[in-house]
Amino acid sequence: MEPLSAGEIEAHLTTRLLGRSIHYYAEIGSTNTEAVRLAEEGAPDGTLVIADVQTAGKGRLGRRWFAPPGGALLYSLLLRPPLPPLLAQRITMVCSLGVVRAIAALTNVPAHIKWPNDIVVNGKKLGGVLTELGNVTDRGQLAYAVVGMGLNVNLAPEDLPETMTPPTSLLAECGHTISRLELLARLLSEIEALYMPLCAGWSPHEEWRAALATIGEAVRVGTAEEVIIGTAVDVTDAGALVVQDAAGARHTILAGDVTLRGHRLGG
Ligand code: BTN
């Protein structure tokens, strides 16, 4: 197993901002929880919190995130883009997009985003993104966002966590191990290349839309209020999914859990 450490990570970085402050833990509860704590203490934009093992990893919708030791990348970025809360989804968009681009740059694995922010390969879940937002400042901007990313890298198929979603890893998809340090460095540089324009007012919507596996698929979306069955036809600039039902009515869903009809992919 290739060990992670703040020094090794720093030696591989090519970024100017992301990861320039590194908090590495051999074991921690959740990198997101720690990044939120550091954010509240005033840690800078681009701070990276990364761990080899999480004992209380958090997934979306209050779920747990499991990863066997040593074979995953488990990290959170503390970001402070000058954005109002209404545009917060853009922060998650650039991070998911950066993940897909880094994987494409280093492997031949066709990774896509499953709305809202799963990283998938041919319907199997390779990773997930969980964003937690800080308060709104006097200027109407988010004080911070913590974006946590969990990716199955060098996990053998038999070691993949059992979830409702069929899981996969880069090892399972490529047939060989991938350097976590090289992948992390590329992830951060791809995210940074999108984060800088985001901070200058650019919308990642078109690029994010093009990287989605969900458009055109038959879906079943569970929201807090109802279950909508139909075809995913679009995503809005705010990151909502537009689903057209059998009667032709369009539903705009801001957050939910998507299942491809008849085959559960949400997890
Ligand atoms: C999902 O449910 O798909 C999102 C999973 C996000 C997991 C990552 S692992 C690193 C970071 N720390 C956490 O506690 N969760 C995120």
Side-chain angles (χ1 to χ4, degrees), residues 30 32 58-61 76 92 117 128-132 146-150:
S30 154
N32 261 36
K58 297 192 281 189
R60 285 184 59 245
L61 306 171
S76 303
T92 312
N117 40 29
V129 181
L130 175 69
T131 301
E132 298 184 52
V146 163
V147 188
M149 289 159 259

